[in-house]
Amino acid sequence: MSALDEVPLPAALLCDSALQHNAGAMAEYVAARGMLLAPHVKTHMSPELWRLQQRHGAVAATVATAAQLAAMADAGARRLLVANEMVTAADLAVLCQVRRAGADVMVFVDSVAGVERMDAGLARSGPELDALDVLIDFGVADRRTGVRTADEALTVAAAVANSRMLRLRGLAGYEGILWPEPEAVRATRTVEYLDDAVAAIERLLDSDLLPAAPARPAGHADPSDLWRGGPLASFGGSDLYPAVADRVRAAFPAEQLRVVLRSGCYLPHDHGRYRRAQQTVTAHHPLPVFRPALEVWGAVLSIPEPGLVVVGAGRRDMSYDDAPPVTILHARDGQVRSMPEIAPTAMYDQHSVLRVDQRDDGQPVPPLAVGDLVAFGASHPCTTFDKWRELTVVDDDRRPLSRVRTLFH
C-alpha cells in the first residue's frame, strides 16, 4: 500500500533509491579526486541519514552549533567538525562534554579575540582534555565569518600556536558564500576566492605553525587514519564543490594536504537551487547527476474559484526562503502522474494557492479536484527538513520502507 494512503497529510517523503544513488555518487566523486567527505548534517539532522552517508565513506559529520554538536554526538557520531566559531562559555562547556564522551571534534577560529576566548573557556571547562584541533576560517569581504587575507590567517595561526588549549590543523572556507551573485560574476569571484585561499594555505604550510603530515597508513582502513594528524583544508558547498577539486585539491599533493568537502544538500538534492546549479556546473565539469529525493505531499482542499486551487501544505511544511516550491506530481485514486511545475502564487502556514489557468509554456495542467493529492519539490532542502520531526522513506512506488527522525531544536 502506498504511503499516500497511510500517512496523514501533509507529509514529507524521501525516495530511497534517490538517497542511495546520491550517497554513492558523491562518495565515488570524492574518492576519485583524493578528497574526504564530512557532510554538513545540518541539512537533515537525522541520525539515520548520517549513518547512510557514513556507510558511503563519510569520515566525519559537520555541524554548525553547540546544540547540533551535542545532538549528533548523542546519536553516535564520533568525528565532528563544527563549521563555525564557538566563543561563549556555555558552548565551550558543551564542546568539552562531547569530547569527554569520546568524540573527536574540530572547530573553526577566525580572530585573535576568538582564539583567546576559546583558550580561556576550554581551560576552565576542560583543563584535562588534549588540545582542540582548529581550522582557520577563511572568508569573503562583506560577507560572514572568516579572516579576509592571508596575513590575517597567519596572525590567527600565531595566536593558536601561543595558546594552551588549541592546536592548528589548517584552513577552512565556504565557496558558496558568494551566492546569490549573478552566475558570471559568481564564477569569477569563486575562482578568485579559492585562489586566495590556496595562497593562504601555501603560507601556512611554509610556516612552522602546522603539524607535519604523517605517513599514510596502508589501505586507509580506518577513516580516523585520514582524519587525524597532518595539515587539512576544508571547503563545503553543494553547488560549487567542483571548483574546490579544481583549485584546491589540484594545488597540493595528497600527501601534503588532505582536502575535506563539507557538502550536505547533495543527499536529498532539490527541485530548485541545487538542480539549477547542477545543470550549470555540469556543462563544464564531469559531475555525478544527483536526483531529487524529497517530496512534500498535500491534498487539494478547496477550489473556491475557477482556476484557483488550494493545497493543504504551506510554509510550516516546506521551504520558501530561497525560492518557492513547485508542483511535481499529481495523484488520484492511487495513480501518480507527473505534473507541470507551478509555483504557488501565495503561501500561508498550512495552505498553498495555485493558479492553474494562467500558464504560458503550453504544458497542460491535469484537471484537479478536491481530494486529489499534489507533491511539491522544494528549493534549498535544509529548511524543509527542519519542519519535520519524522519523514517517511519510500520505494519508487511510494510504499513505506522506514522512517527517519530529525534532531532540530
Side-chain angles (χ1 to χ4, degrees), residues 30 33-36 198 216 243-260:
V30 169
R33 285 151 185 80
M35 298 191 292
L36 305 177
V198 165
R216 285 178 174 262
V244 176
D246 290 348
R247 314 301 294 194
V248 182
R249 173 68 289 160
F252 303 95
E255 61 273 12
Q256 184 183 27
L257 182 76
R258 293 164 186 168
V259 177
V260 179

Side-chain angles (χ1 to χ4, degrees), residues 27-74:
E28 291 177 5
Y29 179 87
V30 169
R33 285 151 185 80
M35 298 191 292
L36 305 177
L37 181 62
H40 214 321
V41 299
K42 72 174 174 61
T43 295
H44 52 70
M45 282 302 292
S46 167
E48 293 83 6
L49 295 181
W50 156 241
R51 286 194 283 271
L52 169 64
Q53 293 171 304
Q54 194 174 30
R55 288 195 298 272
H56 283 84
V59 299
T62 298
V63 296
T65 68
Q68 292 175 7
L69 174 67
M72 292 308 297
D74 287 345

Side-chain angles (χ1 to χ4, degrees), residues 42-43 174 176 179 186 236-241 263-282 287 290 292 322 378-382:
K42 72 174 174 61
T43 295
Y174 175 46
W179 188 279
R186 189 164 67 107
S238 292
D239 53 351
L240 294 173
Y241 62 89
S263 303
C265 290
Y266 75 89
L267 186 64
H269 199 48
D270 72 2
H271 288 86
R273 168 178 176 172
Y274 295 111
R275 180 179 64 175
R276 292 191 301 272
Q278 177 174 266
Q279 292 167 345
T280 301
V281 175
T282 303
L287 294 183
F290 300 122
D322 177 71
S379 180
H380 190 212
C382 301

Side-chain angles (χ1 to χ4, degrees), residues 14-331:
L14 289 167
C15 176
D16 183 65
S17 63
L19 292 174
Q20 300 293 340
H21 168 82
N22 294 346
M26 180 58 93
E28 291 177 5
Y29 179 87
V30 169
R33 285 151 185 80
M35 298 191 292
L36 305 177
L37 181 62
H40 214 321
V41 299
K42 72 174 174 61
T43 295
H44 52 70
M45 282 302 292
S46 167
E48 293 83 6
L49 295 181
W50 156 241
R51 286 194 283 271
L52 169 64
Q53 293 171 304
Q54 194 174 30
R55 288 195 298 272
H56 283 84
V59 299
T62 298
V63 296
T65 68
Q68 292 175 7
L69 174 67
M72 292 308 297
D74 287 345
R78 308 319 299 158
R79 286 180 293 275
L80 292 134
L81 172 59
V82 182
N84 209 349
E85 279 65 33
M86 301 184 76
V87 297
T88 70
D91 284 357
L92 294 171
V94 170
L95 171 62
C96 291
Q97 181 180 357
V98 167
R99 295 182 71 206
R100 284 193 196 94
D104 185 353
V105 185
M106 213 177 294
V107 180
F108 285 8
V109 295
D110 76 344
S111 68
V112 173
V115 168
E116 292 172 347
R117 286 189 67 90
M118 287 187 69
D119 194 43
L122 293 173
R124 287 192 300 269
S125 295
E128 80 286 3
L129 296 170
D130 292 339
L132 173 71
D133 283 351
V134 296
L135 300 173
I136 295 174
D137 187 2
F138 193 81
V140 176
D142 297 323
R143 297 301 170 102
R144 62 184 198 198
T145 57
V147 300
R148 291 349 194 194
T149 67
D151 285 342
E152 291 179 20
L154 267 291
T155 298
V156 176
V160 172
N162 290 328
S163 69
R164 291 192 301 137
M165 304 300 295
L166 305 178
R167 176 174 54 226
L168 184 64
R169 284 294 307 281
L171 184 138
Y174 175 46
E175 69 286 355
I177 195 63
L178 293 165
W179 188 279
E181 296 273 11
E183 183 61 39
V185 174
R186 189 164 67 107
T188 299
R189 290 196 63 195
T190 297
V191 170
E192 293 172 350
Y193 164 68
L194 290 173
D195 287 346
D196 288 343
V198 165
I201 294 169
E202 289 173 341
R203 291 186 62 182
L204 286 172
L205 290 172
D206 289 340
S207 73
D208 58 357
L209 301 173
L210 279 172
R216 285 178 174 262
H220 313 314
D222 184 350
S224 64
D225 292 336
L226 298 175
W227 180 248
R228 298 302 310 168
L232 184 151
S234 172
F235 291 84
S238 292
D239 53 351
L240 294 173
Y241 62 89
V244 176
D246 290 348
R247 314 301 294 194
V248 182
R249 173 68 289 160
F252 303 95
E255 61 273 12
Q256 184 183 27
L257 182 76
R258 293 164 186 168
V259 177
V260 179
L261 202 62
R262 301 191 309 273
S263 303
C265 290
Y266 75 89
L267 186 64
H269 199 48
D270 72 2
H271 288 86
R273 168 178 176 172
Y274 295 111
R275 180 179 64 175
R276 292 191 301 272
Q278 177 174 266
Q279 292 167 345
T280 301
V281 175
T282 303
H284 308 288
H285 300 269
L287 294 183
V289 177
F290 300 122
R291 291 160 34 191
L294 179 61
E295 304 168 355
V296 176
W297 285 84
V300 175
L301 301 180
S302 177
I303 305 179
E305 304 168 16
L308 189 149
V309 176
V310 182
V311 181
R315 294 181 300 193
R316 295 293 184 94
D317 310 303
M318 49 192 173
S319 57
Y320 58 93
D321 58 308
D322 177 71
V326 293
T327 57
I328 54 174
L329 298 168
H330 165 241

